[in-house]
Amino acid sequence: MHVERRARPVLFSLLCLTWMTPLACKRDSAPRAEEARGPQAGHPAPAPIPATSLPVQVLPGLEAISKPEEAAAALRREWPHPYELLEDRLPQRKTRELRRCTDIEGVDVNDVDVVSQRDTEVVQFQFLQCRVMKALTTARPSRTSQVRELLELKSPGDVLPAAMAPEFGEAQPDKTREQQGKSWSTAEPELHFEPRDGERNAFSLEVTGQDTFGLLEWWATGDFNGDGQEDVIAYRAMSPRGGSLTDIAAFVLTRSQPQGVLQILESWR
């Protein structure tokens, strides 16, 4: 099953409209023809990766920077096109323009004055990159890892939490409780992942569900909560078939056991 070619540019164009251009536009969005395989079928549980220090990594999916040391400067770098706050939002703020990542503290995407839904998604994507880069400025090297081998999985649906499934409309608390401990593939059996071609897409997968399609990327690894375990940041963008909305989010994921569904430490939308 392949992502619909007609709708694919809606998601991938977000990568070409933000302040890191033209680098983001270099991606090859063509899917690979091979079938994705299950992550753990018939294989023993991988042993944890012991080490005195596993370095913080920026993966190719996060194209605003190439290494963690660049995050602090990137947060202060001005964007080519600033945004303004809506007149009735955050009236206590004297500065109404958002010119860089450091300006978005306490600002929600819905506080920004934009014209269209697509503009909202571009702002949201930019805000997500800012929040991930801020997390990288305080991330530490890890002592052990139960997540590193996941970066090479071609079909990670059995270990991704069901809470990563897209939401269109208002959030449903009852549904969130039902999803606890379940994988995304369990909640959506028709979920399918397919690797993307190209060196820069090594940590990028196209995703299709029964009524949705989109993109999953690994953006960074490191110890983001100070417990010594390696965590991984995933970016997920999904759209309904035949619709115009895109649910964009980033998740800090971890686990302390060699098998099982990942735990969400933090999420940004």
Side-chain angles (χ1 to χ4, degrees), residues 150-168:
L150 305 178
L151 304 179
E152 299 179 2
L153 293 180
K154 297 179 180 178
S155 185
D158 288 337
V159 296
L160 296 177
M164 287 185 65
E167 294 180 358
F168 303 105

Side-chain angles (χ1 to χ4, degrees), residues 78-92:
E78 285 199 6
W79 303 328
H81 307 290
Y83 301 102
E84 290 192 5
L85 295 172
L86 290 166
E87 291 184 3
D88 59 342
R89 298 296 181 95
L90 305 177
Q92 71 278 11

Side-chain angles (χ1 to χ4, degrees), residues 18-85:
T18 52
W19 51 276
M20 75 293 299
T21 55
L23 181 59
C25 298
K26 294 182 179 179
R27 291 187 171 185
D28 176 11
S29 61
R32 186 180 295 178
E34 68 187 59
E35 287 292 325
R37 295 176 295 177
Q40 297 179 1
H43 296 283
I49 300 176
T52 56
S53 180
L54 293 169
V56 179
Q57 295 183 110
V58 171
L59 303 176
L62 182 63
E63 293 189 333
I65 57 176
S66 60
K67 52 188 177 181
E69 295 79 10
E70 298 172 354
L75 290 172
R76 299 188 298 269
R77 188 179 304 131
E78 285 199 6
W79 303 328
H81 307 290
Y83 301 102
E84 290 192 5
L85 295 172

Side-chain angles (χ1 to χ4, degrees), residues 39 51 53 64-65 77 82-83 92 97 140 174 200-201 220 241:
S53 180
I65 57 176
R77 188 179 304 131
Y83 301 102
Q92 71 278 11
E97 280 194 340
R140 305 174 183 177
D174 292 340
R200 294 200 59 81
N201 295 327
R241 296 184 186 278

Side-chain angles (χ1 to χ4, degrees), residues 185-206:
S185 289
T186 300
E188 192 172 354
E190 296 188 24
L191 194 67
H192 177 81
F193 296 85
E194 187 165 342
R196 299 174 63 205
D197 285 331
E199 182 179 354
R200 294 200 59 81
N201 295 327
F203 299 96
S204 180
L205 299 168
E206 290 189 352

Side-chain angles (χ1 to χ4, degrees), residues 106-173:
V107 178
D108 184 80
V109 173
N110 294 321
D111 297 327
V112 181
D113 188 3
V114 294
V115 176
S116 66
Q117 175 63 31
R118 185 177 182 182
D119 291 337
T120 299
E121 292 165 0
V122 171
V123 173
Q124 188 178 8
F125 180 80
Q126 191 157 323
F127 275 30
L128 286 179
Q129 292 197 100
C130 291
R131 303 197 195 286
V132 171
M133 289 190 294
K134 183 178 179 181
L136 283 166
T137 62
T138 58
R140 305 174 183 177
S142 312
R143 294 193 301 272
T144 60
S145 178
Q146 304 287 356
V147 301
R148 183 156 294 204
E149 71 276 5
L150 305 178
L151 304 179
E152 299 179 2
L153 293 180
K154 297 179 180 178
S155 185
D158 288 337
V159 296
L160 296 177
M164 287 185 65
E167 294 180 358
F168 303 105
E170 296 184 3
Q172 303 176 21

